[in-house]
Amino acid sequence: MPSQVSIENHCRFFRKKEMGCTAAAPTLVCVKRVKQDEAEEWDETMPLPGDIIEGFAAKDGDDDDDDDDASFVAVKGRSELSSHLGKMVQKVETIWVKVRRGDRTHKLRVRVVADKSYILHTKYTIRAARDDRHIAVLGDLTLEKCTTLQEMSRRIVNVAFRGFNRKEVKYDWKRKVDTYLPDQASTVVTSILFMPFQGEYYIEATISRCMAWFSAAVSSGVPLVFVNIQTEQIVTSEKTNQNGKEISRGGKQQNTSTSVELVQGIRLWFLPGVEQVLLEMIPEPGETRFGLDIKRTDEGFICVGEVTKGSAADRAGLQQLLDEANLTKHLLVISRLEGKSVMPSTVGSAGFIHCCDHDEIKDALASAMEGLDIIQLHIMAWPNQTRPETPQAIAPETLRPPKPPL
């Protein structure tokens, strides 16, 4: 944490004459984001989102002597720093900035560049010394926001571990998958990503929505099995022109720049049922439909609502499973159709669930029926479910190591 003296040197206080000593929340000069699409190319020698800029030194070269702190000039605000940078841009090729990350300070060699997002008044910022694309967007932020950005940068850069040198080894993926994944059309485990809403800065709100969605799905009868929950850093980008306005699709892409922002989402991992039962619907000449009606749940899952007696769906065992589902208060949920997932995948920042269009599924079934093609689908199974005669099923239990011989 920055010392009291450090905070006092870098905080801006907005006082009202009527209120005497009443002050607004103090702010620090901080890197808000960087204009660099390739987050995997970031490293600790570059300005990173969340870096608190404590000072700068107008010295060139590679000398970052830790004992030379006296040469660093403290900064109190973004505008003041921009003014200082403008005075140095023609004098030195590179400068040093002292930044704080957590409880440690780092000295970074950077270049001074014009901030092209400003047209009427020229302002200056910094970019990485060895990457022209890595341009910092500076701002006056509270310590809390700086700390949040630092945590996101730390997870992306992940500089904490430097193990032994790594080497590449060949792996026979095709043979391993054919041998050890019983049903190659099923991934066994799946997930859904929840994005934070606009203006949300606390991960607890996203976690609450995630678990509410999961509980609602299970309560409605979808036989999901909880596996894990994790935070996930998402890099979002926005293209802007020189006037700082967002470029619309189809517009000209000349003189544009890309602003990168990090947001923290929640990924929920779950099993689609205790296992996924593979069924084949085989049409017969003269039939015009497979004989199943589907519907979508509020949480975005596709389930079977009705099965026609004597149809291809009935012969595949769907009626038997639907009757049992009704007795056990479960839904007969389709997880995959022709090997493709029909489960919801994302909840966006506007709150909409990205899921499969059930009208498109109906069109796919109708097209297959016209050619009398066999359709394969996976059904989510619940505990102690009766199994119809099926080609195969996949469950976590089938992936356990074999028992040693007696």
Side-chain angles (χ1 to χ4, degrees):
M1 295 291 291
S3 65
Q4 182 63 31
V5 174
S6 175
I7 293 177
E8 290 176 354
N9 286 338
H10 299 88
C11 295
R12 296 187 308 167
F13 292 88
F14 299 95
R15 304 180 184 272
K16 297 181 180 179
K17 293 181 180 180
E18 299 83 1
M19 298 296 292
C21 294
T22 301
T27 58
L28 306 166
V29 183
C30 179
V31 178
K32 294 197 298 185
R33 59 181 184 275
V34 295
K35 300 178 180 180
Q36 178 20 330
D37 287 355
E38 306 298 333
E40 62 272 12
E41 297 182 11
W42 296 2
D43 64 55
E44 64 271 25
T45 67
M46 299 175 173
L48 300 175
D51 280 355
I52 299 171
I53 301 179
E54 296 191 332
F56 66 91
K59 55 180 182 177
D60 208 341
D62 294 322
D63 182 14
D64 62 341
D65 187 357
D66 289 337
D67 297 330
D68 196 18
D69 286 345
S71 64
F72 281 83
V73 179
V75 295
K76 299 179 181 179
R78 180 187 59 81
S79 296
E80 180 192 53
L81 177 59
S82 174
S83 177
H84 284 299
L85 295 176
K87 296 174 183 178
M88 295 183 293
V89 67
Q90 299 295 336
K91 297 180 180 180
V92 293
E93 184 178 355
T94 61
I95 67 170
W96 290 89
V97 293
K98 183 165 61 174
V99 302
R100 180 171 293 277
R101 294 173 183 165
D103 58 356
R104 301 181 61 185
T105 58
H106 303 263
K107 295 175 183 177
L108 311 177
R109 190 162 69 92
V110 298
R111 299 181 186 274
V112 179
V113 294
D115 190 340
K116 295 183 179 181
S117 60
Y118 292 91
I119 301 299
L120 298 180
H121 303 284
T122 303
K123 294 185 180 296
Y124 294 89
T125 184
I126 57 176
R127 69 167 172 81
R130 295 183 176 86
D131 192 335
D132 294 346
R133 304 167 300 169
H134 196 95
I135 300 175
V137 177
L138 306 178
D140 296 310
L141 304 180
T142 63
L143 178 60
E144 181 180 11
K145 290 183 179 179
C146 294
T147 303
T148 301
L149 289 173
Q150 286 182 13
E151 176 62 18
M152 288 190 280
S153 295
R154 184 189 67 80
R155 291 176 180 271
I156 288 182
V157 177
N158 192 23
V159 299
F161 176 74
R162 291 288 187 268
F164 293 104
N165 292 333
R166 305 295 177 178
K167 63 177 294 184
E168 294 180 350
V169 295
K170 189 176 181 180
Y171 192 78
D172 191 346
W173 287 104
K174 186 179 186 305
R175 183 177 67 84
K176 297 291 186 177
V177 170
D178 290 344
T179 304
Y180 296 104
L181 190 63
D183 182 356
Q184 297 171 36
S186 173
T187 57
V188 184
V189 66
T190 190
S191 68
I192 179 171
L193 177 64
F194 290 79
M195 300 283 286
F197 284 175
Q198 293 289 343
E200 278 187 352
Y201 300 103
Y202 300 98
I203 199 65
E204 288 79 7
T206 312
I207 295 176
S208 297
R209 286 195 303 276
C210 167
M211 297 313 300
W213 175 90
F214 181 82
S215 298
V218 173
S219 298
S220 70
V222 182
L224 305 182
V225 180
F226 179 85
V227 173
N228 193 21
I229 188 173
Q230 67 185 63
T231 58
E232 182 165 325
Q233 310 305 320
I234 304 113
V235 180
T236 62
S237 62
E238 178 183 86
K239 291 186 179 295
T240 58
N241 59 22
Q242 289 186 345
N243 294 322
K245 296 180 180 179
E246 185 177 352
I247 299 295
S248 59
R249 291 185 179 179
K252 295 182 178 180
Q253 297 292 319
Q254 298 177 354
N255 300 322
T256 64
S257 62
T258 302
S259 298
V260 175
E261 185 176 6
L262 303 177
V263 296
Q264 193 170 33
I266 291 294
R267 184 171 294 277
L268 170 66
W269 292 92
F270 61 90
L271 295 174
V274 294
E275 66 177 316
Q276 295 180 70
V277 180
L278 175 61
L279 302 178
E280 288 186 342
M281 298 189 297
I282 306 175
E284 295 180 350
E287 292 182 331
T288 58
R289 58 192 303 268
F290 283 99
L292 75 161
D293 292 328
I294 60 174
K295 58 183 180 180
R296 186 175 60 226
T297 70
D298 291 343
E299 287 68 46
F301 291 97
I302 303 297
C303 63
V304 178
E306 187 176 348
V307 176
T308 302
K309 185 176 181 180
S311 63
D314 186 17
R315 293 192 297 272
L318 280 175
Q319 183 62 63
Q320 173 189 342
L321 293 176
L322 182 60
D323 291 341
E324 186 174 344
N326 292 332
L327 289 174
T328 58
K329 307 299 182 184
H330 285 97
L331 294 176
L332 189 58
V333 184
I334 301 174
S335 60
R336 293 179 179 273
L337 183 68
E338 288 294 286
K340 298 179 181 179
S341 173
V342 295
M343 294 176 284
S345 59
T346 310
V347 179
S349 58
F352 294 104
I353 300 175
H354 296 196
C355 54
C356 188
D357 186 349
H358 68 296
D359 289 331
E360 185 176 350
I361 296 177
K362 292 179 180 179
D363 293 340
L365 293 175
S367 177
M369 178 56 69
E370 289 180 3
L372 293 179
D373 297 327
I374 298 174
I375 285 289
Q376 291 186 338
L377 50 82
H378 285 83
I379 297 295
M380 295 187 192
W382 51 89
N384 302 318
Q385 181 194 64
T386 302
R387 302 292 187 269
E389 294 296 328
T390 59
Q392 56 188 334
I394 183 165
E397 290 79 2
T398 64
L399 301 180
R400 291 177 179 173
K403 294 181 180 180
L406 298 176

